Amino acid sequence: MSTTTTTTTIYVAISPPLPPPSSTTGPTAAATSPDASAPLPQPPPRLEKITFTNDCTPAELRGALLAAAEISDSDAEGVVLRLTAGDEGSTVVLTVGPGLPGNTEAGAYKLEVLQNKLVAYEALGGAAERLLATTAGVETREIEELRRAVEQLKTKLGRSGTHSGNAPARRRTLKAARANARYLTSPKYVLTPETAAYLREPSFDNWQFDGGEILCLLEHMFHDMGLVKAFGIEIPTLRRFLGAIKDCYNENPFHNFRHCFCVTQMMYGILHTTGIVEKLRDIDKLILILSCIGHDLDHPGFNNAYQINAMTDLAIIYNDASPLENHHAAVLFTILFKPAFNILSSLPDATYREVRRSVIRCILATDMARHGEIMNAFKKASEAFSYDDAEHRLLLLQVVVKCADISNETKSQRQFFPTTPVRPTDVSEPWVELLLAEFFHQSDTEKSEGLPYAPFMDREKVTKAGAQIGFIQYVMVPLYDLAAKVIPGMEEAIIRPIRESLAYYKAMQDKEAAVAAGGK
């Protein structure tokens, strides 16, 4: 279906950026402003004209607004744009996107450039550190107070980080990809044959690659599985789509874009290691990669139990029925609904409906509340499995996605099993720590809010070894054993390392128990 391209023109009155936080007392402030009680004069707003088409992305329009505000890409990270319409007292905050209505010079929108507080604090902290460096060896009461203030600021910045131990967002506003124009027509990275071959291995080390390189690896999977050619996917559209996917993952310790990549890569590795990639149809492979890429989109860092007990918006919207998984699928198809991101635009209606229905079912299958249901259905299908049976085939896709979703436990112990081709300890072990950090944060929040909390998330009761033993023994091994009834080659390549991992954690638990008892 073709869409008519239309053009919209808007006028924007741009206010200057707000200054970063600074002290209002002391020598520096006095030197900056002779009259500390009087506000500094602000230049009048500047009027700019911006023209855009209806198929542009929100990120592209944001880029135009940043350019109009004379903010470079290198300075844009710490900037928040606030676009409003109306007079004072009846101001409406506008959403930056292609649906923004045109206006006139007389009715120009107001654009405020707000400095991101964290970036400003970091700049202030850096300036304070440099000031302290110049006073080394000097001891006065004022300098000692400054040292204490810097330490407090560093502590505050530490709490504001995005690594393990931070507070995962409960809800993130969706963002759209801001793709570099050159990247849309020519590759930013080129894979070596060695990397391309390594990408097919379940032992692939995700920590060696940054976010931009991961986008390139995901794009390669579409090419390697023949999906670009089979479904007529335009490369610029694919790159915009993958960028939008990346931007719609939150910076949680565990449920983030890197986890999305790991799940997708393990699916890809399972297909090639076992050879079932040759038995699947092109549409099956498309369903798998879309399901893995989208399976945790906009994850808030709190599980379904929290959503339901806290009566969050997601629980209300989805009537307590797999609220997160329903949301992940909805976000994925919201992205695909945009023409700029729609890699499925060439699919016939019947094919699109099959893809959509199957992807939704695969994502919903990742809800552990449905684990027993999926296991029982696949067990029955495995007794007389047929690739020609549509329901059997869809159950297989669901099981592959489930296996990939929990795959960071499928690791080898290199020092004992150097030839095992599954995620080595140095690749998988950080993921265990990150998952526990996210779990502990949720249980801490649930305790503070008076909500029920799960024992396996309680930092006062859980050990890494204990958590892993139960999960591997009662969830992973049965799931992978069942998958192996249909998927050839699972035992040696994947299941044996899982059993080795179980033995590893049991040995760790025994050692912890011995230490606790005063042994050696």
Side-chain angles (χ1 to χ4, degrees):
M1 180 184 295
S2 61
T3 303
T4 303
T5 301
T6 59
T7 300
T8 302
T9 298
I10 60 172
Y11 292 88
V12 179
I14 301 175
S15 300
L18 296 179
S22 61
S23 172
T24 56
T25 61
T28 303
T32 303
S33 175
D35 183 1
S37 63
L40 294 174
Q42 297 292 320
R46 175 168 47 83
L47 195 66
E48 292 284 349
K49 176 181 176 182
I50 298 174
T51 301
F52 58 92
T53 58
N54 63 326
D55 62 351
C56 78
T57 68
E60 288 167 344
L61 183 52
R62 170 181 161 83
L65 291 170
L66 287 167
E70 300 179 346
I71 297 173
S72 66
D73 288 346
S74 60
D75 295 330
E77 183 179 355
V79 168
V80 176
L81 298 180
R82 185 172 185 265
L83 190 66
T84 58
D87 300 322
E88 190 172 349
S90 60
T91 301
V92 176
V93 179
L94 303 173
T95 300
V96 175
L100 198 63
N103 61 1
T104 62
E105 291 187 38
Y109 299 138
K110 182 180 179 182
L111 178 66
E112 295 177 89
V113 180
L114 308 176
Q115 177 72 42
N116 180 293
K117 290 182 180 179
L118 178 58
V119 173
Y121 276 125
E122 287 173 340
L124 181 60
E129 291 275 22
R130 289 192 296 273
L131 178 60
L132 283 179
T134 65
T135 60
V138 180
E139 295 296 334
T140 68
R141 191 178 71 177
E142 289 79 9
I143 291 176
E144 182 57 32
E145 288 175 353
L146 178 58
R147 286 198 178 94
R148 284 198 297 269
V150 170
E151 289 304 316
Q152 291 172 355
L153 183 57
K154 288 164 67 176
T155 301
K156 181 172 184 177
L157 288 172
R159 290 198 300 268
S160 302
T162 58
H163 300 291
S164 59
N166 74 310
R170 294 200 191 180
R171 191 71 176 85
R172 271 281 289 269
T173 302
L174 296 184
K175 302 182 294 181
R178 184 182 182 189
N180 183 291
R182 284 186 60 192
Y183 170 62
L184 297 180
T185 56
S186 59
K188 189 174 182 179
Y189 303 97
V190 177
L191 265 64
T192 64
E194 292 78 13
T195 300
Y198 183 33
L199 188 61
R200 291 184 170 195
E201 297 291 337
S203 57
F204 187 83
D205 184 357
N206 70 94
W207 302 110
Q208 295 183 20
F209 301 87
D210 63 24
E213 292 167 334
I214 285 174
L215 289 174
C216 174
L217 296 172
L218 289 171
E219 180 185 332
H220 174 80
M221 294 181 204
F222 277 87
H223 285 283
D224 189 46
M225 291 196 291
L227 303 179
V228 171
K229 183 177 180 180
F231 299 104
I233 300 174
E234 297 289 339
I235 299 306
T237 304
L238 176 59
R239 290 173 179 171
R240 283 194 295 262
F241 167 74
L242 293 174
I245 291 292
K246 177 177 180 291
D247 284 349
C248 286
Y249 271 91
N250 295 322
E251 294 177 345
N252 301 310
F254 184 88
H255 290 102
N256 50 41
F257 178 63
R258 189 173 291 274
H259 167 68
C260 148
F261 168 73
C262 285
V263 172
T264 307
Q265 187 278 322
M266 180 56 78
M267 172 277 298
Y268 180 75
I270 290 173
L271 263 55
H272 286 91
T273 299
T274 63
I276 65 165
V277 67
E278 304 299 334
K279 298 183 179 182
L280 297 176
R281 305 171 301 164
D282 288 333
I283 192 173
D284 297 327
K285 290 178 276 188
L286 180 64
I287 290 165
L288 280 173
I289 197 167
L290 288 176
S291 300
C292 291
I293 284 174
H295 85 285
D296 271 334
L297 276 166
D298 197 38
H299 196 297
F302 293 78
N303 70 8
N304 279 330
Y306 177 86
Q307 306 301 320
I308 294 168
N309 292 330
M311 294 183 286
T312 64
D313 290 347
L314 292 181
I316 300 301
I317 290 170
Y318 296 110
N319 300 312
D320 295 349
S322 302
L324 288 181
E325 290 73 24
N326 273 297
H327 179 61
H328 304 325
V331 174
L332 174 63
F333 283 97
T334 298
I335 293 171
L336 287 167
F337 184 75
K338 296 287 186 181
F341 307 144
N342 188 6
I343 61 173
L344 307 180
S345 60
S346 67
L347 271 60
D349 287 347
T351 305
Y352 174 82
R353 284 195 295 271
E354 180 182 354
V355 169
R356 174 172 161 78
R357 180 175 63 251
S358 300
V359 167
I360 291 171
R361 286 186 60 179
C362 284
I363 292 177
L364 291 178
T366 63
D367 182 0
M368 289 305 295
R370 300 190 60 211
H371 183 70
E373 170 195 338
I374 301 296
M375 291 282 286
N376 289 336
F378 190 71
K379 182 178 181 180
K380 183 177 179 180
S382 69
E383 295 170 357
F385 186 86
S386 171
Y387 281 93
D388 295 327
D389 186 311
E391 187 61 25
H392 286 189
R393 198 168 54 245
L394 180 54
L395 279 168
L396 174 62
L397 301 186
Q398 289 176 304
V399 167
V400 169
V401 172
K402 285 175 64 62
C403 286
D405 189 24
I406 60 175
S407 64
N408 282 323
E409 306 309 327
T410 56
K411 65 189 185 109
S412 66
Q413 311 308 318
R414 268 186 180 159
Q415 63 271 39
F416 302 117
F417 309 101
T419 61
T420 304
V422 184
R423 303 224 194 266
T425 307
D426 55 350
V427 176
S428 62
E429 197 79 357
W431 284 112
V432 179
E433 301 286 352
L434 294 170
L435 182 59
L436 289 177
E438 198 167 295
F439 280 177
F440 292 160
H441 175 75
Q442 174 173 323
S443 67
D444 291 345
T445 303
E446 288 166 331
K447 291 176 186 178
S448 69
E449 295 179 357
L451 297 173
Y453 58 90
F456 68 85
M457 291 187 173
D458 189 352
R459 69 171 71 245
E460 297 176 2
K461 299 178 180 178
V462 172
T463 65
K464 179 165 64 175
Q468 293 305 97
I469 289 169
F471 187 73
I472 295 171
Q473 189 164 335
Y474 298 111
V475 177
M476 291 196 70
V477 171
L479 174 62
Y480 276 82
D481 277 345
L482 185 57
K485 292 182 180 295
V486 174
I487 304 175
M490 288 280 284
E491 177 61 41
E492 182 63 22
I494 296 174
I495 296 177
R496 185 167 70 90
I498 297 176
R499 300 187 195 281
E500 293 162 359
S501 185
L502 178 60
Y504 168 78
Y505 282 114
K506 284 183 175 180
M508 179 187 293
Q509 187 179 56
D510 290 343
K511 184 176 180 180
E512 290 172 351
V515 171
K520 296 294 183 181

